[in-house]
Every structure is written in C-alpha cells, then in structure tokens.
Amino acid sequence: MSSISMAARDRSAIVARLRAAGCVWAEDEADLLISSATAPADLQALVDRRVDGQPLEHILGWAGFCGLRVDVAPGVFIPRARTELLVRTAVTLLGRREAVVLDLCCGSGAIGAAVAATAAGQIRLYAADVDSASVACARRNLQPWGARVYQGDLFAPLPVHLRGRVEVLVANVPYVPTAALSLLPREARLHEPRLSLDGGADGLDVLRRVAVEALDWLAEHGRLLVETGRVQSRAAVAILDRAGFTSRVVSDDDLDATVVIGGCGIRASTGRP
C-alpha cells in the first residue's frame, strides 16, 4: 500500500473515532491533529485525548481568535468567537489615537492581543488575571506588543501610576450563573477553570466588583467594556449606572454576543458604538 493510501486510511479512521466521540467538525479536527503530531505514537496520543473529551485547543496548544493564533494551555479559558464583538467595540472606541488599554480578567490575553493587533493607533497595553497558568499564557501572547501582565485579584496587582490613565478597560469577567454551570458543555465544565466561568447567583458578582473600582482607573473620557449574556444586559447596565457610569448596550446577533459600555458622558442607548 502506498504512503498516500495509508495516510488516507489513517485519516479516515481518525475521523471515524472523532465522529463517534461526538466531534461535530471531525474532518477539520482530524486534519489539525495530524498536522500537529510529530510521530505516529504522538498522533495516537492526541486523538486519544480528544476522544476523551479534552478541548481541541488545549490539545493543539492554541486557539484561533480574531485572525490570531493564541497560545492556550490546559486549564486556561479558551477565547470564544462571540468575544470578537468586545474587541471590535474597543477598537472602534479607540479610533486612531494613542491610548492606554487594560485587559482585566485577561485569561490567555486573547482580547488584549486582538485589540493591539487591529487598533489603528498606538496603544500601551496592560493586563491582569488571578490565575497563574493564564498569566503565563498572556505573557507569551502579549509579548509582541510589549504588554505588562500582572497576577492578582482584579485591580489589586496593577501599578498605582495607571490610576486615572486607562482609556479603554476591557473586562471579560465570568458571567455564567452558578446554577447554570452544570448546563455548560462538558469540555468547559471539566477542563476550563471554574473561576473564569462562575459569576455567582445571577452571573454578575464579578462585574459588581469591577464596577466599584473601575472609575478610579479610567481616564476622564475612558470607557469600560464588559461582555455579558443578552438576558443579563439590563441588570449589567443598572450595576454600572449605580457605580457612577452612564451605560449602553451593543449586540451582534450573528455572534450571539452582547457588550455593555460604561463611561462618563455616554448617552444611554442601545446600538452601535
């Protein structure tokens, strides 16, 4: 049997295993696993991990996000396509000016990296997360833009010189209500950190904590951008408004994405940034 025939046979077998394990995009996943393997035994191990239910991104070591290949490690939150709206909104608000950007609850640093890669103006990027594995990924992903990445709880690890200087603060805080965690896909429940998913009883506990402190860190015309679920957006606006913001909501039906924008001088409305 020729090497081409053997490769085709092996791919077909891998696709069949992946499909039987419930992988919807079995053909695409098989190609990615094959291209990532360094030897037949390595390929077998990669396929076994996927069939066992591990996220494809953790197996490959990267996730595609906003046209970038973002490093992700086991136990690190995997960036979702819906978060592209958060990036797009931040870039629109930044325009062409130089600005300080803070990626809070940064996870792998995917949001900060995508903003830095697409912003028209020059930005100075900072990021923070409480999880050590996430911070390690973020430092790798944000190194090309000279970002400073800090480990600690929300604003606590940030240098004091950032107070009052942040033009755009993006915060993809956990917003899944605790009772809904059991409804998440198995991959997320078992392989992503609970602290990156669990937002408390109504999913907005971490947002409340961010809202209390954020105005101290924002520049005079700075903006806070947070991703929420669509059904939570009204409550999220109320939280930001009580904290001293004036807020509005943007959404994208195709991405099933919702972002709340808070800042001084924003006219409350729903629509485009």
Side-chain angles (χ1 to χ4, degrees):
M1 182 180 294
S2 70
S3 59
I4 294 176
S5 299
M6 290 179 66
R9 183 200 63 189
D10 292 345
R11 181 183 183 277
S12 296
I14 292 169
V15 168
R17 286 193 66 197
L18 295 174
R19 187 174 289 120
C23 299
V24 176
W25 309 107
E27 291 85 357
D28 293 338
E29 292 195 13
D31 290 338
L32 287 168
L33 293 171
I34 290 168
S35 66
S36 297
T38 57
D42 181 39
L43 176 59
Q44 179 67 41
L46 296 179
V47 174
D48 287 346
R49 289 173 62 189
R50 185 63 181 128
V51 169
D52 189 49
Q54 294 185 38
L56 178 67
E57 295 83 357
H58 287 167
I59 297 169
L60 299 175
W62 60 271
F65 181 70
C66 290
L68 302 176
R69 181 176 287 198
V70 177
D71 283 0
V72 291
V76 173
F77 181 78
I78 299 166
R80 274 42 169 189
R82 70 171 65 92
T83 304
E84 293 180 11
L85 177 63
L86 189 61
V87 172
R88 195 166 69 226
T89 306
V91 169
T92 300
L93 291 172
L94 284 167
R96 302 189 66 83
R97 70 184 189 276
E98 294 184 7
V100 173
V101 175
L102 172 60
D103 183 358
L104 197 65
C105 302
C106 69
S108 65
I111 296 171
V115 170
T118 56
Q122 184 174 354
I123 70 171
R124 284 165 288 168
L125 181 60
Y126 298 81
D129 199 284
V130 71
D131 177 64
S132 60
S134 296
V135 167
C137 275
R139 285 177 175 152
R140 292 195 299 273
N141 288 318
L142 298 179
Q143 188 275 334
W145 293 279
R148 300 291 182 89
V149 184
Y150 301 90
Q151 183 179 348
D153 185 30
L154 297 181
F155 299 95
L158 297 176
V160 294
H161 70 77
L162 275 184
R163 284 185 180 273
R165 296 182 57 215
V166 178
E167 300 282 350
V168 169
L169 195 171
V170 290
N172 191 14
V173 300
Y175 59 87
V176 179
T178 303
L181 291 173
S182 62
L183 304 177
L184 291 175
R186 182 174 180 270
E187 291 180 16
R189 285 187 286 107
L190 298 183
H191 297 285
E192 292 184 287
R194 183 182 177 113
L195 59 82
S196 69
L197 301 168
D198 190 351
D202 64 353
L204 299 173
D205 282 358
V206 183
L207 174 58
R208 290 185 179 91
R209 295 181 57 211
V210 170
V212 169
E213 294 190 62
L215 279 176
D216 290 339
W217 295 87
L218 288 172
E220 182 179 358
H221 300 292
R223 299 291 184 260
L224 167 65
L225 283 68
V226 293
E227 180 177 292
T228 70
R230 187 181 300 272
V231 298
Q232 297 164 309
S233 60
R234 183 175 296 180
V237 165
I239 289 169
L240 294 190
D241 287 352
R242 283 195 297 270
F245 293 92
T246 304
S247 309
R248 63 187 177 98
V249 178
V250 296
S251 60
D252 186 312
D253 292 337
D254 292 334
L255 291 174
D256 188 25
T258 302
V259 170
V260 178
I261 307 171
C264 299
I266 299 180
R267 183 176 180 180
S269 64
T270 301
R272 292 186 176 275

